[in-house]
Amino acid sequence: MNSVQDIWKTVLKILSEQLTPTAITTWFSDCQPEDFDNMCLIIRTPSDFKKKIISDRFLPQIKSILSDLFAGDVDVLILAGDEEYLKDSPDGDILPEMAGYTFDNFIVGNSNKFAHAAAISVAENPGKNYNPLFIYGNSGLGKTHLLLAIGHYIQEHYPEKKIAYIKGDDFTNKLVKAIKEGTTEEFRSEYRHVDLLLVDDIQFIAGKQSTQIEFFHTFNYIYELGNQIVITSDRPPMEMSLLDDRLRTRFEGGLMADIAPPDLETRMAIARNKASRLGLLLPDEIIEYIASTVKANVRQLEGVIKRLTAYKEILNDEITKESVNRAIEDVIRTGPEIPNPDLIIRETAKYYSLKPEDLKGNNRSKNPAMARQISMYLMRQLTNLSLNEIGKELGRNHTTALSSIRKIEDLMRTDPDLTIVIRDITSNITTSSESI
Ligand code: ADP
Ligand code: MG
């Protein structure tokens, strides 16, 4: 059995032993098999109505015929009319910002050479060497860069391979939306039938039960077919306390590579590289000064260089230690230290699969109440807002704000899980405020 036509013919033959001739002609005579790829059969019908009937009534039968034929799980995707199969571009957004994120532009030093070598090895032989590749490390150290460099390399060297890129929190959001809209089949085939799945910031799915289960199945599906998965996270699996044990085992079964903050020499090389790419020639002593001042985060290092370029272009400034100091202050000041209250509310809500409005409104069910108290606690911790202002953000007064914060503080003393929840939300807040 080779072509998709043959496969479909065989399916129809077996189906006609199970259904009446009228059913076969009514629903299947104008179905066209379109593609069979990565254990997924794609069928096109002329109308939404037929798609719905076939999906509702016959899908399990078709799947079970296929699974017998192929001795394994086969998915079926039904398309209506000229509905597109999101083959290359789930939302038009695969491999975002990938232009600059290549291996060529990645400076290798002691702190990242292991992760870099692992990434190269996976890019050269996807699905063969290390699966999954799990890259972890603090924010701003090049995880997304390496992840996308793998995507870039594979896109260039194996153009036939299908690639999907998704961020951990988008996986959750899209799944929730798909469940609501009854399009989970489409959601699944979008992320399962790929040769390379790139998952950025997986820590966002920890603690979310239904997302973790779905991701577990997605993972297994891809893995069983010998396709490649690359994951990044801000911490290793064993430190993700709310991670489903089955996922943890899967992650730890691959190769784990951490990225540490770069040493001075590497920071200088990165600064020099970024500057020259922006057409900015900096004297060695300025490079060294920048690299010895900005230590923990490559994104900030890059931010300083970008600002210096702007000063030079816009203000025609000579670059001196003073202008460097100004650039550093700028970067640190607009850095992630003080997130705004909206972000705190949004991330807390997201963590509990709620909407920000659920926290602001009068919904008294247990979940929003807890999430609301946590968001007030986090505002107290992470911002300079007064109790009055904190209360106002959520449509409450300062007394409520105070008692909410106290309640969370009390609970944290007795409930270790809550401490983890708070830590995870905090990390989500800082990660998203940095990527704006
Ligand atoms: P993370 O995903 O770990 O938070 P990113 O991959 O987004 O970090 O990196 C932050 C910025 O720093 C990006 O612009 C990236 O290109 C740059 N960067 C990080 N590490 C390196 C490196 N080793 N060489 C060149 N650029 C780097
Ligand atoms: Mg990142």
Side-chain angles (χ1 to χ4, degrees):
M1 200 160 36
N2 29 42
S3 79
V4 59
Q5 303 288 346
D6 292 339
I7 297 172
W8 183 234
K9 232 187 261 167
T10 314
V11 171
L12 278 185
K13 197 163 145 245
I14 301 172
L15 257 189
S16 35
E17 290 159 14
Q18 306 172 356
L19 303 172
T20 64
T22 327
I24 296 283
T25 357
T26 314
W27 305 116
F28 298 105
S29 59
D30 46 11
C31 272
Q32 283 299 326
E34 194 150 305
D35 198 3
F36 183 76
D37 193 18
N38 272 327
M39 298 294 268
C40 177
L41 178 67
I42 298 162
I43 310 275
R44 189 176 294 282
T45 72
S47 67
D48 282 336
F49 176 66
K50 283 199 173 169
K51 169 180 169 171
K52 184 168 178 349
I53 299 286
I54 296 174
S55 310
D56 289 354
R57 291 200 206 151
F58 306 115
L59 209 55
Q61 249 163 305
I62 301 175
K63 277 191 184 174
S64 104
I65 294 172
L66 283 164
S67 302
D68 286 346
L69 285 175
F70 287 91
D73 254 1
V74 176
D75 257 355
V76 177
L77 182 66
I78 300 174
L79 304 174
D82 51 12
E83 184 182 347
E84 255 181 88
Y85 169 39
L86 301 173
K87 194 168 179 165
D88 305 312
S89 165
D91 261 352
D93 67 349
I94 54 164
L95 306 191
E97 316 152 68
M98 68 178 289
Y101 287 4
T102 59
F103 287 123
D104 288 349
N105 289 333
F106 191 83
I107 307 292
V108 183
N110 278 329
S111 59
N112 59 26
K113 69 174 179 223
F114 182 69
H116 174 259
I120 296 257
S121 159
V122 160
E124 287 176 347
N125 288 298
K128 301 264 158 43
N129 292 348
Y130 309 112
N131 212 3
L133 171 61
F134 191 101
I135 302 171
Y136 66 91
N138 284 344
S139 176
L141 297 181
K143 301 182 296 293
T144 300
H145 190 134
L146 278 182
L147 185 78
L148 290 175
I150 295 173
H152 200 186
Y153 185 97
I154 290 181
Q155 200 168 54
E156 193 178 327
H157 292 81
Y158 305 92
E160 75 288 357
K161 290 205 187 286
K162 277 185 243 155
I163 304 173
Y165 166 91
I166 189 144
K167 295 179 106 167
D169 50 344
D170 289 339
F171 190 87
T172 307
N173 297 340
K174 286 194 170 182
L175 175 64
V176 170
K177 189 161 166 254
I179 293 171
K180 220 182 269 165
E181 294 173 355
T183 55
T184 39
E185 286 291 321
E186 281 86 346
F187 174 84
R188 287 192 179 135
S189 69
E190 189 172 323
Y191 293 106
R192 289 185 186 189
H193 304 291
V194 296
D195 300 285
L196 173 67
L197 180 65
L198 304 170
V199 188
D200 207 1
D201 290 322
I202 189 97
Q203 73 271 7
F204 284 108
I205 75 161
K208 299 185 184 97
Q209 211 41 40
S210 56
T211 313
Q212 297 201 53
I213 293 171
E214 183 64 32
F215 187 76
F216 180 70
H217 293 303
T218 305
F219 183 99
N220 287 342
Y221 198 97
I222 296 174
Y223 183 86
E224 296 299 334
L225 288 176
N227 292 329
Q228 180 72 47
I229 302 155
V230 185
I231 298 169
T232 73
S233 170
D234 67 352
R235 60 204 103 138
M238 70 184 182
E239 282 174 26
M240 297 167 72
S241 336
L242 293 178
L243 188 69
D244 186 295
D245 279 338
R246 295 180 306 174
L247 275 179
R248 192 194 320 280
T249 312
R250 284 287 190 264
F251 294 167
E252 289 175 348
L255 180 69
M256 289 196 272
D258 75 319
I259 305 191
D263 53 24
L264 177 66
E265 199 188 328
T266 313
R267 294 199 301 276
M268 286 176 63
I270 293 174
R272 206 171 279 126
N273 175 271
K274 300 281 174 196
S276 72
R277 285 193 12 237
L278 291 167
L280 184 70
L281 250 179
L282 293 176
D284 278 352
E285 71 210 49
I286 295 283
I287 294 274
E288 185 164 354
Y289 181 66
I290 297 170
S292 47
T293 318
V294 184
K295 293 185 184 139
N297 188 317
V298 180
R299 189 177 288 118
Q300 292 184 343
L301 194 61
E302 199 173 20
V304 171
I305 306 282
K306 281 187 185 153
R307 272 177 182 69
L308 288 176
T309 316
Y311 295 165
K312 187 152 188 181
E313 278 169 8
I314 302 166
L315 309 171
N316 220 350
D317 254 10
E318 268 311 300
I319 290 179
T320 57
K321 274 200 179 163
E322 285 67 58
S323 54
V324 172
N325 281 335
R326 188 146 48 95
I328 292 172
E329 267 170 38
D330 255 16
V331 168
I332 311 266
R333 184 148 35 85
T334 55
E337 280 74 29
I338 304 188
N340 71 31
D342 278 345
L343 179 67
I344 295 177
I345 295 173
R346 200 163 66 231
E347 285 301 333
T348 313
K350 200 150 88 184
Y351 195 86
Y352 285 94
S353 300
L354 296 166
K355 296 205 197 64
E357 303 82 71
D358 295 335
L359 269 57
K360 292 179 183 175
N362 270 323
N363 190 333
R364 295 211 176 267
S365 67
K366 190 157 174 260
N367 234 344
M370 184 74 172
R372 185 181 304 125
Q373 287 155 357
I374 290 179
S375 71
M376 294 199 225
Y377 169 83
L378 287 171
M379 278 185 225
R380 190 64 170 174
Q381 294 286 314
L382 304 173
T383 73
N384 303 324
L385 296 182
S386 67
L387 285 174
N388 230 332
E389 289 163 326
I390 292 175
K392 237 193 215 150
E393 290 293 335
L394 295 144
R396 304 294 193 275
N397 59 27
H398 80 279
T399 326
T400 312
L402 181 61
S403 66
S404 300
I405 294 163
R406 291 229 169 105
K407 181 155 172 219
I408 296 297
E409 283 168 351
D410 286 347
L411 273 175
M412 280 172 77
R413 261 175 237 127
T414 52
D415 180 356
D417 281 351
L418 183 61
T419 314
I420 293 161
V421 168
I422 301 271
R423 194 194 63 191
D424 285 351
I425 301 175
T426 309
S427 157
N428 293 352
I429 291 167
T430 19
T431 315
S432 20
S433 67
E434 277 166 14
S435 57
I436 295 169

